[in-house]
Amino acid sequence: MTTNIPDIIIPQPVESAFSSVSISDAEFNAIRKLVYENFGINLTEQKRSLVVGRLQKFLRLKKFNTFEQYFNYVRNDASGQALGELINRISTNHTFFFREQDHFDFLRKVILPELETRLKKERANDLRLWCAGCSFGDEPYTFVISMLEHFGLNYKNYNAGLLATDISAAALSAAQTGVYPEERLKMVPPALKQKYFRDLNDGTFQVTDILKKEITFRRLNLMKQQLPFSKPFHLISCRNVMIYFDQPTRNALVKRFFDITVPGGYLFIGHSETLRNDSCPYAYVRPAIYRKGEL
Ligand SMILES: C[S@@+](CC[C@H](N)C(=O)[O-])C[C@H]1O[C@@H](n2cnc3c(N)ncnc32)[C@H](O)[C@@H]1O
C-alpha cells in the first residue's frame, strides 16, 4: 500500500562542512615562527583567529586533523610548494586602483617632469619603476595608466620598465590575467576606465593589452637579502606591505631599497606607514614619500 507520508529525512552531522580545527599555543607559535622566518610577516597574537580562519578550509581539504600535522607537512616539503600555498593563504592582498591618489598626483606633477629634464640632460631614456608587493596588480596598472597619461605619445621615446613583484603566486597569477570586479575600479575616472579597460559584461573589467605589455610580473620574496637587480630604480613603491613587518625587518628592507635607488630617486610607502627618522637613509619629502639625496 502506498501512502502520502513523505520519507523522514534524518539530519546528518555536518562535520565535514563546518567543524573547526582548533589551534594550540604551541601550534600557533610554530606557524608564526615559520612565517616570520620565511616572509618577515609578523603574526601577532591578535592575528590568531585570522590565521585559523584562513587555513581552516585548507586543513579540511587536505584531511589534516590538527595544525601540527599541517605544520609538519609544510616543514617537510622540500619543494617549497607547501610554503607557497601557506603564504598564498596568509598574506593580506587588499588593494584597488588609484588607492592613495596622492602618490599618482605627485608622480605626474613632480617625479615625471623631473625625470624628463634629467634624462634629457643625461641623454638617457631608461625609466625604471618597481612596485614591491603589487598584490593583484591594481597598483602597477595604475602606475602605467599615470605614465601613459602624462607622456602621451612621447611615452614611446622612453625605455620605460615597470617591475611588479609579490610573494603570493596566486595574487600574481590574477594580476597577469588582469580581470577585476567593478568595485575595485571605483576610483578610476570614467574616461580612463573607458580607455584602459574592457567591459566583460559580467560585472568584471579586464585591463587592455596596452597596459599588460608594460609590466613584468615576478615572484620575489622581499626578505631575500640580496635583491636580484643589476640596475637601480628611479622609483620604488612599497605601499601597505611593511605594516606586516616588525621594525628591524622594516629598517633592513628600507636599507636594501636605498641601495638600489638612483641618487635623487624616490620611495613610496603607504599613508598609514612611517619610516623612523633615526634609521631611515632617505630624506622625508611629504607623507608617505621619501627621496634619496643627489650625489
Ligand atoms: C596589502 S597588499 C598591498 C598591495 C598594494 N601595494 C597596495 O598598496 O594596494 C600587501 C602585499 O604584500 C605582499 N607581501 C607580504 N610579504 C611579502 C614578502 N615577504 N615579499 C613580497 N611580498 C610580500 C603580500 O603578498 C600582499 O600582496
Side-chain angles (χ1 to χ4, degrees):
M1 192 178 91
T2 56
T3 71
N4 281 332
I5 303 171
D7 291 341
I8 296 170
I9 297 166
I10 302 166
Q12 295 297 309
V14 285
E15 191 265 331
S16 61
F18 297 108
S19 69
S20 61
V21 184
S22 59
I23 195 166
S24 69
D25 286 350
E27 288 169 328
F28 180 62
N29 286 333
I31 289 180
R32 189 186 207 176
K33 188 161 178 279
L34 188 75
V35 170
Y36 180 73
E37 285 175 355
N38 284 282
F39 309 112
I41 296 175
N42 185 20
L43 295 171
T44 55
E45 187 55 40
Q46 292 88 316
K47 297 275 165 67
R48 183 189 280 253
S49 55
L50 184 129
V51 170
V52 174
R54 289 187 177 176
L55 294 177
Q56 194 80 249
K57 208 166 127 197
F58 188 66
L59 258 71
R60 283 198 302 264
L61 197 80
K62 293 273 184 178
K63 310 228 179 318
F64 292 120
N65 296 318
T66 64
F67 274 94
E68 187 183 357
Q69 284 174 5
Y70 171 65
F71 173 75
N72 288 332
Y73 152 79
V74 177
R75 200 181 44 182
N76 296 326
D77 171 39
S79 74
Q81 195 190 324
L83 202 57
E85 284 163 354
L86 171 65
I87 193 63
N88 281 349
R89 288 178 167 76
I90 289 292
S91 62
T92 297
N93 306 114
H94 177 69
T95 186
F96 52 91
F97 284 83
F98 285 93
R99 179 181 193 182
E100 303 183 23
Q101 171 84 43
D102 258 16
H103 280 139
F104 304 104
D105 291 344
F106 189 81
L107 177 76
R108 290 185 62 178
K109 287 188 192 138
V110 179
I111 300 182
L112 294 179
E114 240 176 52
L115 272 173
E116 282 174 292
T117 312
R118 173 187 178 147
L119 293 176
K120 203 181 269 171
K121 216 159 81 192
E122 292 173 358
R123 294 173 181 277
N125 68 351
D126 268 16
L127 213 163
R128 289 179 300 275
L129 272 70
W130 176 24
C131 183
C134 67
S135 187
F136 297 123
D138 311 37
E139 179 180 328
Y141 285 125
T142 306
F143 273 116
V144 179
I145 293 175
S146 304
M147 287 198 291
L148 288 171
E149 287 300 300
H150 175 80
F151 288 120
L153 292 175
N154 282 337
Y155 184 77
K156 64 175 180 341
N157 299 330
Y158 290 94
N159 183 15
L162 184 89
L163 174 71
T165 65
D166 202 279
I167 191 60
S168 165
L172 287 169
S173 161
Q176 273 159 318
T177 309
V179 174
Y180 300 94
E182 189 164 16
E183 83 241 16
R184 291 257 289 283
L185 274 63
K186 61 183 184 296
M187 303 298 286
V188 182
L192 299 185
K193 190 170 166 187
Q194 171 101 23
K195 193 165 167 187
Y196 295 108
F197 295 84
R198 202 169 31 244
D199 189 346
L200 300 184
N201 294 313
D202 60 357
T204 65
F205 285 75
Q206 183 163 35
V207 292
T208 56
D209 291 345
I210 295 167
L211 298 188
K212 277 192 190 177
K213 73 177 180 47
E214 294 305 322
I215 304 177
T216 304
F217 288 103
R218 288 277 179 280
R219 183 162 187 259
L220 176 74
N221 188 351
L222 291 171
M223 291 306 106
K224 225 175 145 69
Q225 292 310 304
Q226 207 64 46
L227 292 170
F229 307 119
S230 54
K231 289 182 174 173
F233 294 93
H234 297 97
L235 167 64
I236 297 175
S237 177
C238 186
R239 308 186 317 155
N240 307 301
V241 178
M242 289 189 276
I243 30 170
Y244 303 104
F245 303 158
D246 63 10
Q247 198 58 48
T249 307
R250 272 180 218 156
N251 292 349
L253 180 59
V254 169
K255 169 81 182 56
R256 292 202 294 284
F257 284 155
F258 187 78
D259 292 342
I260 51 158
T261 304
V262 298
Y266 290 87
L267 172 70
F268 287 177
I269 61 171
H271 280 81
S272 65
E273 307 170 279
T274 47
L275 298 182
R276 286 170 59 136
N277 274 344
D278 55 349
S279 56
C280 177
Y282 289 94
Y284 172 86
V285 177
R286 54 193 272 166
I289 300 180
Y290 294 80
R291 189 175 195 196
K292 181 169 176 169
E294 296 282 358
L295 281 179

